[in-house]
Amino acid sequence: MITPPGEALVPFRLDVPQTELDDLHARLDRTRWPDELPGVGWAYGVPRGYLKELAHHWRHVYDWRAAEARLNAWPQFTTEIDGATVHLAHVRSPEPDATPLLMTHGWPGSIVEFQRVAGPLTDPRAHGGDPADAFHLVLPSIPGFGLSGPTREPGWELLRVTGAFAELMRRLGYERYGVQGGDWGAAVSRELGRLRPDAVLGVHLNLLPNSAQTAEPTEAELAPLSDEERARTWASWERMRAWTRERQGYADIQSTRPQTLAYGLTDSPVGQLAWIAEKFKEWTDSADRPEDAVDRDQMLTNVMLYWLTGTAGSSGRIYYERAHADYWGRPPEPSTAPTALADFPRDNFIPLRHIAERTNTLVRWTSYERGGHFPAMEQPELLVADIRAFFRELRRPSTGLPQAP
């Protein structure tokens, strides 16, 4: 088959000039630190003592070249879709009948999130699993994020990203595939399943959009629920109230003035570090610091992709585009795609099945006792097992598996 002009996938390899690393180190050395109130912990934001320690590790211990080599172990490509550069890792399984799986990150994440799950998903035979559970992984960077950024024009909202990823899978030759994601990746994955049920085998999510209790529950809402469901509904509402009161400031800023924010985050590596590290503390199953839940150097590699590409502003623009899209505020459109949720207890919201079932075709719902917003980093074994189990069940009635190109 001849690839049409403009549809080529161009091989990509990370090779950051040493001058950029030297500049980062010089900026870290010259950090101008703010004052801090005594004894407030994380209540006002990232504690100065913690951030100084993390920045020192970034400057003197963290090894970008080793991280770069790990990323370069994945075959990577770029392609132009709808006027944007789309970067992806395409990690093929050694199993010829592996199922194609598109995994999409969110904010403030990146494809770095998937480093601990890629091996077990693509090569279960080598990781003590069943080779029938193998996947060909497609790991794109959302336009505007990291190596797919910055975007060059307005309008890169959720549905446009969804369309771009559907086109990406077509270019790769995958006619039938699964999708998986959390955060923005969950929204993209769900919309792909809704809009392309002919292509999407199933939708696996670790966050289910529009499934939390957003208003104080009424007696009429609670009446048909079991005691357990009522308790969960109240818990969902309380967490939503806490989110609105204390945690959604970052989204409000990025939904309204992402450009203003971008100047500080693009000029100051410690500013960019604090903006992301705070979310890894608040959104994970951690106690005192993000490293309770995620590997410190893996988190720093994620931060590096934002810093080196200067995409603090363009990644934040997806919030602005969503908030100003004509569909914002409308109820979600129903999806017929078979959908699974891996529910991790320390995620931002508590999902409710009776709400989710109004607009999703749920075939699997598994609640775990540990883990948070970044399960591929926090609980990779649990996430891998859940993905395998979901798609294994979907494949069972079939006589054949989706074929790789």
Side-chain angles (χ1 to χ4, degrees), residues 167-205:
E167 169 62 15
L168 175 63
M169 296 302 278
R170 185 195 68 80
R171 291 186 187 183
L172 290 170
Y174 293 128
E175 297 179 356
R176 190 85 165 137
Y177 51 87
V179 294
Q180 198 285 328
D183 197 87
W184 282 102
V188 170
S189 298
R190 183 193 182 276
E191 289 305 297
L192 255 176
R194 181 179 73 83
L195 295 170
R196 296 297 307 277
D198 58 317
V200 174
L201 174 68
V203 178
H204 185 283
L205 307 175

Side-chain angles (χ1 to χ4, degrees), residues 10-72:
V10 180
F12 175 88
R13 184 175 177 82
L14 269 166
D15 186 13
V16 174
Q18 185 60 40
T19 53
E20 292 194 29
L21 303 182
D22 294 341
D23 175 72
L24 168 63
H25 292 161
R27 289 170 183 266
L28 289 171
D29 288 338
R30 296 196 308 271
T31 299
R32 186 181 181 210
W33 294 96
D35 74 318
E36 180 183 51
L37 293 171
V40 297
W42 288 81
Y44 285 69
V46 184
R48 186 176 63 183
Y50 167 74
L51 199 63
K52 278 190 170 183
E53 176 191 336
L54 185 59
H56 182 274
H57 180 89
W58 192 11
R59 168 65 177 88
H60 296 286
V61 181
Y62 172 78
D63 185 350
W64 165 254
R65 293 304 182 195
E68 188 179 62
R70 283 191 290 272
L71 285 168
N72 282 331

